[in-house]
Amino acid sequence: MVLSNKNIVIIGGSSGIGLATAQLAYQQGATVTITGTSTATVQQAAQRIGPIAAYPLDITDEQAVHQFFDPFTDLDHVFIAAGGTKLGSIFEGTVADHAMPIQLRLLGIIHVVRAAAHKLRPGGSFTFTGGLSTDRPVSGAWVSGIATAIAEQMARVLALDLAPIRFNAVSPGYTDTPMWDRVLGDQREQVLARVAQTLPVKRIAKPGEVARAVLFLMQNESVTGEVIHVDGGARLV
């Protein structure tokens, strides 16, 4: 199989794009470890995939991240799917409320790379999660625009700073994941259906479609410092 004997860690692998990536990697023969926000959630996700390792992890906690990666010796790929957003004006709520999704991307990436980079085998890679909001900001979602831009720029910068380790990012557009349940609530289906009609492809992406882009970035050893967009053409309209 394509990823046979590869050791892959997926941060935020208990739902959405992370879960889909874990499923595909496992099907292709990889040894997969996933993390999630809670023990129950991540173990339930693991049961949907197969006999894989699953642990709760807060990647904003540097000590916890180092403890998590300590037992690993030879890693091949790390995918950070964890991320979130917050809607609202810059004047709403507290600064800390708005800062958390940004810290999740920035501090999460820094903590994971510092803990895992020296454990990667030749040809290994990190993949981060950016997003459509980097190129097409949405009013009221300024946190997303900053957070996704951080992830994408970190891939470019670290591809130079830590070469020959490869760093890339996947940039999803609107994707049918549980995140929208939290963000849009009862308006989820209505909003996503309306967005779909604005896209050249007239549909919202599935998590597995983004996951296949992540696996491409893992497998192609000549790709580094790149951002792959899986947005249904949203940047063009």
Side-chain angles (χ1 to χ4, degrees), residues 7 26 58 80 101 109 176 184 192-193 197 223:
N7 196 357
Y26 177 76
D58 175 6
I80 304 181
I109 286 173
D176 188 8
L184 299 176
L192 293 184
Q197 292 308 305
V223 178

Side-chain angles (χ1 to χ4, degrees), residues 79 127-131 152 168-172 210 213-214 217 227-228 230:
F79 172 40
T127 304
F128 308 143
T129 303
E152 294 174 21
N168 295 291
V170 63
S171 177
V210 183
V214 175
L217 292 172
V227 178
I228 290 189
V230 187

Side-chain angles (χ1 to χ4, degrees), residues 84-89 92-101 140-144 183:
T85 188
K86 182 176 177 59
L87 301 179
S89 164
E92 294 178 8
T94 67
V95 173
D97 290 338
H98 292 296
M100 183 51 66
W142 62 276
V143 170
S144 290
V183 175

